Amino acid sequence: MDKSLLRQQVLERLAEDLLRVEQAAQTAHEAATHEENIAENKYDTLGLEAAYLATGQARRADAIRQAIVSWRSFSLALYNPSQGIQLGALIVLVDADDKQQRLFIGPEGGNMTLSCDGELTQVISSQAPLARALLGKFEGDEVSLEVASVRREFEVLKVY
């Protein structure tokens, strides 16, 4: 279980996302400032809508840049059984149907699925409800989480 490889994949994915968002922001900015989009009356809002879109894309780009800084700066400590699950943990969970899933808890900018060691790993932010429920737990502990009025139960099989 190579957590440094997972971190590198996260950084690559964030860099790709940043490039796409920056391109979208540039396109929206060009549309907002194009002479054909100058409002001719109060109902002509194409330029204004493009400006709002450009602002939103710029904010998203800033959030991705911050996530990249966070991922680069956080250390990948080995699992300490006396402390339980912490930021940077790679966890194998099993649910009531005996279905296993791998999670990697990162600082922010999660919500992506990566392939490592031939298995899929879901990257989640430390602020995600499941991550908050897992922090401080130990191998063998059970975790209960309610999502959309449905209670889900998991057992922590392994932590790396």
Side-chain angles (χ1 to χ4, degrees), residues 63-83:
I64 293 171
R65 282 188 204 95
Q66 179 57 46
I68 289 171
V69 168
S70 295
W71 276 94
R72 283 185 180 147
S73 64
F74 102 97
S75 63
L76 294 171
L78 295 175
Y79 172 63
N80 182 340
S82 66
Q83 291 182 334

Side-chain angles (χ1 to χ4, degrees), residues 129-130 133 137 142-146 151-155:
L130 182 54
K137 299 291 186 192
E142 291 189 9
V143 177
S144 179
L145 181 69
E146 188 169 327
R151 178 133 324 262
R152 305 249 348 247
E153 304 283 334
F154 302 96
E155 180 184 345

Side-chain angles (χ1 to χ4, degrees), residues 49-117:
E49 292 168 9
Y52 284 138
L53 181 59
T55 300
Q57 296 289 6
R59 286 184 183 144
R60 176 72 182 126
D62 287 341
I64 293 171
R65 282 188 204 95
Q66 179 57 46
I68 289 171
V69 168
S70 295
W71 276 94
R72 283 185 180 147
S73 64
F74 102 97
S75 63
L76 294 171
L78 295 175
Y79 172 63
N80 182 340
S82 66
Q83 291 182 334
I85 296 171
Q86 302 294 316
L87 180 66
L90 180 59
I91 306 150
V92 179
L93 297 178
V94 63
D95 64 13
D97 297 326
D98 239 11
K99 181 180 172 191
Q100 291 187 16
Q101 64 179 350
R102 289 172 28 140
L103 300 173
F104 183 45
I105 301 177
E108 59 182 292
N111 194 27
M112 61 182 76
T113 303
L114 304 173
S115 179
C116 184
D117 300 330

Side-chain angles (χ1 to χ4, degrees), residues 5-61:
L5 178 60
L6 280 171
R7 177 172 53 187
Q8 184 58 39
Q9 288 181 7
V10 168
L11 286 168
E12 289 169 4
R13 179 81 59 88
L14 288 171
E16 292 167 6
D17 290 350
L18 179 60
L19 182 60
R20 276 194 301 276
V21 168
E22 286 175 336
Q23 289 171 341
Q26 180 63 32
T27 300
H29 175 73
E30 289 169 3
T33 57
H34 195 277
E35 64 184 43
E36 290 181 4
N37 290 333
I38 295 173
E40 295 177 7
N41 59 51
K42 68 180 182 178
Y43 301 107
D44 190 1
T45 62
L46 186 60
L48 181 62
E49 292 168 9
Y52 284 138
L53 181 59
T55 300
Q57 296 289 6
R59 286 184 183 144
R60 176 72 182 126

